[in-house]
Amino acid sequence: MGVFDYAEELNHGSLAGPAISDAELARRLVAGSRLATLSTIALRPAGFPYGSLVAHTVDERGRPLFLLSALAEHTKNLAACANASLLVVESGSTSIVTAPRVTLVGTCSLVEPSEHDAVRAHYVAAHPESATWFTDYLHSYSLYR
């Protein structure tokens, strides 16, 4: 992944200019981050956006992966309505004006049981501190995509 001068590139009419598509730049930004804001549709108060900080990584197709506790509000919200957004900001950014960022929208679902072992290994490789969370039955963590 190359280094981009985002302030310069903003002047080209496209965030990345002619060298790279905005979609590719967004994929790189998401793949290069570890933390993001997951927004779900709240159960309480009903219908309001609910944002929470989550650790994530991406799968082989660039889709975000999360390890979420069944006790967390965002997980309860997703059980009722799978619609969500993910706001990713480049790590270390300090300017609200020029900070590279992207918001992804879509639906979240549990990772299929047939994929669980491979996805788990991939997630733990990105977040080694999570290795023991899979056996934390109190919090009942599950993988979502």
Side-chain angles (χ1 to χ4, degrees), residues 33-53:
S33 69
R34 293 179 39 85
L35 302 175
T37 302
L38 176 65
S39 293
T40 57
I41 307 300
L43 292 171
R44 293 176 311 213
F48 283 85
Y50 181 88
S52 54
L53 186 64

Side-chain angles (χ1 to χ4, degrees), residues 47-98:
F48 283 85
Y50 181 88
S52 54
L53 186 64
V54 295
H56 75 96
T57 190
V58 295
D59 67 11
E60 70 286 347
R61 292 179 46 201
R63 297 173 296 182
L65 297 170
F66 315 99
L67 183 62
L68 305 179
S69 167
L71 300 178
E73 286 298 314
H74 49 241
T75 307
K76 295 171 186 174
N77 295 342
L78 287 172
C81 177
N83 297 338
S85 68
L86 185 71
L87 171 62
V88 178
V89 178
E90 185 176 69
S91 179
S93 294
T94 59
S95 170
I96 193 69
V97 176
T98 61

Side-chain angles (χ1 to χ4, degrees), residues 7-142:
E8 171 67 22
E9 297 300 341
L10 286 171
N11 296 320
H12 292 284
S14 170
L15 181 60
I20 184 173
S21 71
D22 287 344
E24 178 59 24
L25 188 58
R27 281 190 284 278
R28 289 180 182 191
L29 179 61
V30 174
S33 69
R34 293 179 39 85
L35 302 175
T37 302
L38 176 65
S39 293
T40 57
I41 307 300
L43 292 171
R44 293 176 311 213
F48 283 85
Y50 181 88
S52 54
L53 186 64
V54 295
H56 75 96
T57 190
V58 295
D59 67 11
E60 70 286 347
R61 292 179 46 201
R63 297 173 296 182
L65 297 170
F66 315 99
L67 183 62
L68 305 179
S69 167
L71 300 178
E73 286 298 314
H74 49 241
T75 307
K76 295 171 186 174
N77 295 342
L78 287 172
C81 177
N83 297 338
S85 68
L86 185 71
L87 171 62
V88 178
V89 178
E90 185 176 69
S91 179
S93 294
T94 59
S95 170
I96 193 69
V97 176
T98 61
R101 60 199 174 263
V102 63
T103 299
L104 307 176
V105 295
T107 56
C108 288
S109 60
L110 283 164
V111 169
E112 294 293 327
S114 62
E115 300 177 276
H116 188 268
D117 289 344
V119 172
R120 175 182 172 168
H122 184 76
Y123 190 87
V124 170
H127 296 280
E129 69 281 5
S130 71
T132 60
W133 300 354
F134 289 89
T135 58
D136 178 350
Y137 298 107
L138 172 64
H139 293 96
S140 187
Y141 286 96
S142 296

